[in-house]
């Protein structure tokens, strides 16, 4: 067949198919808000019409006989029936999957639980169903965390209210006794008032620190510092408390490992852990502090002789306001020390863990080890490393 005839046939077929495609585009624009099944039917119809119009145009241009034209038309008609039927089945399947997904989403909005539709579904709808199931699970976990946090807040408010009421009642009673002049030893009352005021000041400071941690406004000034320096400063702060309670402090296994930390905040972490351990260790007991490096982390641990924490209470020891059993109720403070410890350690991108050991428990603070410091060349080394100067000619 000459090239000119082939080009002529291609041009006639293109004109017929393009006409059908334009009509299909207009129909799709009018049906853009209709069902997916209708759109699939239109697409199938456009494909069949484009093939039919192109074929008929070519046949007319080639002057085929009436018999041949009828045969071609019947063949194309049968193909169009099969195509439209297939499109209808596919459309009904997609519409059914969409309706099942809509029902599942409606149930999720009403009851808060999403159940993926059963049966086979197109890949895109199955992926959407999986994403909705994942989102539902995350929302359920978020609601559970919110309920736990709200319960913790209520407990914290109740405990703090009780702790504030007790020293305030004592201050009022002592001030009234001093005002009425019925006190035989006013100096002793003055000391008690100062102690209660210090206790209130400590509680208010802990609340302020905890609020900064929860609000994300805790600003850290990171610096390279040795773990033994941190532990040394913390031990100096708790020596009077240990002497008062008759508890021995042991720090034989403290290695000089460097960490990147805020010295002030990390010292507060260690002081809180040490003070908590001292208060819950009986007289003549031992509180041990250890600093060691494991792989690329630094472990700061404090071990006491409290007798252990019930396994059921271990997950809650770092909750704000939690105190556990009566035997572990501190004589002062609002039960915020360990919550502050966890917040500060998290701000350092570390973690704190609690576990039982024979006769007591151990709290471990895990921090990232400081990277190796590059030693700057000394003046003598620099002189050796510098290239020789050219001699004057």
């Amino acid at each position: 067949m000459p090239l000119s005839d082939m080009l002529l046939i291609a041009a006639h077929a293109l004109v017929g198919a393009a006409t059908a495609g334009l009509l299909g585009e207009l129909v799709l624009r009018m049906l853009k808000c209709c069902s997916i099944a209708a759109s699939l039917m239109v697409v199938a119809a456009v494909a069949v019409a484009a093939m039919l119009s192109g074929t008929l145009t070519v046949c007319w241009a080639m002057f085929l006989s009436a018999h041949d034209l009828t045969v071609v038309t019947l063949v194309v008609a049968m193909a169009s029936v099969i195509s439209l039927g297939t499109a209808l089945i596919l459309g009904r399947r997609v519409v059914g999957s969409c309706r099942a997904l809509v029902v599942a989403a409606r149930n999720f909005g009403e009851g808060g639980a999403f159940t993926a539709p059963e049966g086979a579904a197109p890949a895109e709808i199955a992926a959407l169903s999986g994403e909705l199931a994942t989102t539902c699970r995350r929302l359920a976990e978020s609601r559970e965390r919110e309920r736990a946090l709200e319960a913790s807040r209520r407990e914290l408010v109740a405990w703090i209210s009780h702790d504030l009421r007790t020293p305030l009642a004592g201050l009022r009673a002592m001030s009234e006794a001093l005002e009425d002049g019925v006190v035989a030893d006013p100096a002793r009352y003055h000391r008690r008032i100062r102690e209660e005021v210090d206790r209130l000041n400590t509680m208010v400071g802990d609340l302020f620190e905890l609020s900064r941690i929860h609000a994300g406004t805790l600003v850290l000034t990171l610096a390279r510092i040795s773990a033994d320096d941190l532990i040394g400063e913390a031990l100096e702060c708790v020596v009077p408390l240990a002497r008062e309670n008759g508890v021995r402090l042991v720090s034989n296994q403290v290695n000089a490992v460097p960490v990147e930390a805020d010295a002030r905040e990390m010292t507060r972490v260690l002081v809180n852990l040490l003070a908590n351990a001292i208060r819950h260790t009986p007289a003549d007991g031992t509180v041990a502090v250890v600093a060691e490096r494991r792989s690329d982390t630094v472990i700061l641990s404090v071990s006491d002789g409290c007798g252990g924490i019930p396994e059921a209470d271990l997950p809650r020891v770092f909750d704000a306001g939690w105190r556990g059993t009566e035997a572990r109720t501190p004589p002062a403070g609002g039960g915020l020390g360990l919550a502050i410890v966890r917040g500060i350690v998290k701000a350092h991108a570390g973690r704190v863990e609690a576990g039982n050991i024979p006769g007591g428990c151990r709290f471990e603070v895990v921090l990232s080890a400081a990277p190796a410091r590059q030693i700057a060349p000394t003046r003598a080394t620099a002189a050796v490393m510098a290239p020789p100067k050219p001699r004057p000619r």
Side-chain angles (χ1 to χ4, degrees), residues 225-232 234 253-263 265-267 269-271 273-274 288-294 297-303 341 345 348 351-354 362-368:
I225 188 170
S226 179
D228 58 344
D229 292 338
L230 288 174
I231 292 177
Q253 301 180 14
V254 176
N255 299 322
V257 289
V259 293
E260 290 282 346
D262 187 309
E265 297 297 338
M266 195 52 60
T267 300
V269 166
L270 293 174
V271 168
L273 292 178
L274 287 169
V289 58
V290 177
E292 58 181 335
R293 179 162 184 165
R294 300 177 189 171
T297 61
V298 175
I299 311 296
L300 307 177
S301 62
V302 176
S303 304
V341 166
V345 173
H348 283 79
R351 68 180 188 274
V352 58
E353 303 170 348
R362 176 188 290 122
F363 289 83
E364 290 188 350
V365 175
V366 183
L367 301 173
S368 298

Side-chain angles (χ1 to χ4, degrees), residues 188-203:
R188 184 171 65 88
Y189 274 65
H190 290 156
R191 288 192 300 271
R192 289 293 307 278
I193 289 175
R194 186 175 64 253
E195 292 174 358
E196 294 298 330
V197 169
D198 291 340
R199 178 183 177 186
L200 288 173
N201 183 57
T202 301
M203 293 175 61

Side-chain angles (χ1 to χ4, degrees), residues 1-168:
M1 181 182 295
L3 180 60
S4 58
D5 293 343
M6 294 182 62
L7 293 177
L8 182 61
I9 293 173
H12 283 84
L14 178 61
V15 170
T19 302
L22 291 176
L23 293 176
E25 173 65 19
L26 293 176
V27 175
L28 286 176
R29 286 182 178 272
M30 291 185 294
L31 298 178
K32 61 182 180 180
C33 296
C34 294
S35 172
I36 297 178
S39 299
L40 289 175
M41 290 291 294
V42 172
V43 171
V46 168
V48 172
M51 180 178 60
L52 179 61
S53 61
T55 302
L56 294 179
T57 302
V58 172
C59 292
W60 174 79
M62 295 176 63
F63 301 102
L64 294 180
S65 63
H67 177 269
D68 294 340
L69 186 60
T70 302
V71 171
V72 171
T73 304
L74 287 176
V75 171
V76 174
M78 293 301 102
S80 64
V81 170
I82 298 300
S83 299
L84 293 176
T86 303
L88 179 61
I89 294 174
L90 177 61
R92 290 176 62 87
R93 184 181 303 172
V94 173
V95 170
S97 300
C98 290
R99 288 176 179 173
L101 189 60
V102 169
V103 173
R106 185 182 298 116
N107 295 334
F108 168 58
E110 294 175 354
F114 178 82
T115 302
E118 298 180 356
E124 290 77 7
I125 296 179
L128 178 59
S129 178
E131 289 295 329
L132 287 176
T134 302
T135 302
C136 175
R137 183 173 64 255
R138 292 176 179 174
L139 287 176
E141 295 173 355
S142 177
R143 286 193 296 267
E144 187 64 27
R145 288 194 301 268
E146 185 65 26
R147 283 194 291 266
L149 182 59
E150 185 62 27
S152 176
R153 287 173 179 170
R154 288 195 297 267
E155 292 178 355
L156 176 61
V157 170
W159 287 330
I160 291 297
S161 300
H162 176 270
D163 290 340
L164 290 176
R165 189 182 298 114
T166 300
L168 288 175

